[in-house]
Amino acid sequence: MSALLRSELRKYFSTRMWWGMSLAMFLVGGIFAAITGAFSLHGQMPVGDAMVNLDEVVPELTLARMIYAAGIQFGSMLALVIGVLSMGQEFRHKTISNTFLAGPRRHQVIIAKVGALVVILALNAVAHIAGAVVGGGILLSTAGVALVPDAGALAQTFALIVLILIVWGLVGLGLGVVIPNQVAALFIGIAFTLILEPLLAFGLTFFDGWDVLAKFFPSQAATATLSLFSGVDSSLAEAMGGGSNQLPWWGGALTLVGYALVMTLIGLVLTRRRDIA
């Protein structure tokens, strides 16, 4: 089992993808944190009939959390890509036969891929957080706002960012197993997250009682997990895109873990049953 795990890690770190994705994660974290920081610290937003300065009405901890987690959506997309490619490249380069010859017990191969992916995504999450701290920290320091208003709360936020990115990567792995064509898998995964999911959430608002399902969607669950709008007035939170009936942070985390388990299980079952040419 350890040999399979080392093999999967070697596949990833022997290509240029490892530093390319890490760099992309760092840049996404930094750029979105800087943009959100500039808007949050120096911008205004209409709430009701008044314009409010966000840095005056949002608590420092919530402000720092919003800035550091600003790039989580695009970071999740990159994690999804890593997960899809971890399986899709095996089909594309026709190395899947050799992989199963080296590890004939297919469930062990999938478990090794999951283990390696967790390590890889954790490292990419660290790069993403480092970029966010650099990009957001510069804006916070120039505005005279504490970089770490509450060390324990921010550590929890960073840990949850790592969890979210790992979950999205595992969802991508499951998607890569279900759809062997990696281009189609990437297109469907990204299109669902960026286009179909928001449309479904909007469509559910037209049916009484069905709109509660939207808070269990992956993106909504990720937002709830980070508690991005905690301590903010409900009208302001709604104006900033926060739902009024979000899951608690632990409910969002459990929902995301559920998605990862379901997709991993689907990948495991399909891989055991599928004929490999």
Side-chain angles (χ1 to χ4, degrees):
M1 192 64 201
S2 60
L4 288 174
L5 182 60
R6 287 198 301 273
S7 173
E8 293 300 327
L9 289 173
R10 192 173 295 117
K11 286 178 187 176
Y12 182 79
F13 288 105
S14 61
T15 68
R16 286 174 288 186
M17 183 177 169
W18 78 266
W19 64 262
M21 277 296 179
S22 298
L23 179 61
M25 281 284 193
F26 181 88
L27 292 176
V28 164
I31 291 171
F32 278 90
I35 293 173
T36 303
F39 176 73
S40 303
L41 297 168
H42 305 291
Q44 292 184 321
M45 174 169 280
V47 180
D49 297 329
M51 297 292 291
V52 298
N53 294 318
L54 292 178
D55 60 328
E56 295 177 356
V57 297
V58 178
E60 280 195 351
L61 173 60
T62 303
L63 201 59
R65 185 183 283 143
M66 289 168 54
I67 292 171
Y68 292 144
I72 189 63
Q73 186 173 11
F74 282 89
S76 299
M77 292 300 96
L78 292 178
L80 181 78
V81 170
I82 293 173
V84 170
L85 294 183
S86 68
M87 197 66 190
Q89 287 189 336
E90 295 268 20
F91 290 106
R92 181 188 177 194
H93 298 295
K94 303 186 186 305
T95 57
I96 190 68
S97 300
N98 293 334
T99 297
F100 286 142
L101 285 173
R105 295 180 177 176
R106 295 184 180 185
H107 68 280
Q108 289 187 348
V109 173
I110 294 299
I111 292 172
K113 281 188 176 295
V114 169
L117 202 52
V118 169
V119 174
I120 291 164
L121 291 164
L123 294 175
N124 278 275
V126 171
H128 180 79
I129 293 169
V133 171
V134 172
I138 293 173
L139 271 293
L140 287 169
S141 60
T142 55
V145 179
L147 297 181
V148 185
D150 185 328
L154 278 183
Q156 181 188 26
T157 298
F158 292 152
L160 290 171
I161 288 175
V162 174
L163 171 68
I164 290 170
L165 295 182
I166 289 174
V167 166
W168 275 102
L170 294 179
V171 170
L173 173 65
L175 196 60
V177 174
V178 174
I179 307 172
N181 186 311
Q182 64 179 14
V183 175
L186 288 173
F187 177 79
I188 291 173
I190 293 174
F192 175 82
T193 305
L194 294 182
I195 301 174
L196 188 58
E197 185 186 312
L199 288 177
L200 280 174
F202 177 72
L204 288 173
T205 61
F206 292 98
F207 301 94
D208 292 339
W210 285 78
D211 55 334
V212 296
L213 295 177
K215 62 185 179 183
F216 294 99
F217 288 176
S219 297
Q220 295 285 341
T223 302
T225 300
L226 293 173
S227 301
L228 289 181
F229 303 106
S230 63
V232 179
D233 179 76
S234 58
S235 58
L236 177 60
E238 191 168 350
M240 296 170 70
S244 58
N245 59 346
Q246 285 187 334
L247 294 169
W249 74 266
W250 55 267
L254 287 176
T255 301
L256 290 176
V257 171
Y259 278 114
L261 289 176
V262 169
M263 293 302 292
T264 301
L265 186 61
I266 291 173
L268 190 61
V269 172
L270 285 181
T271 303
R272 285 172 62 90
R273 295 183 176 182
R274 179 177 284 162
D275 290 333
I276 302 296

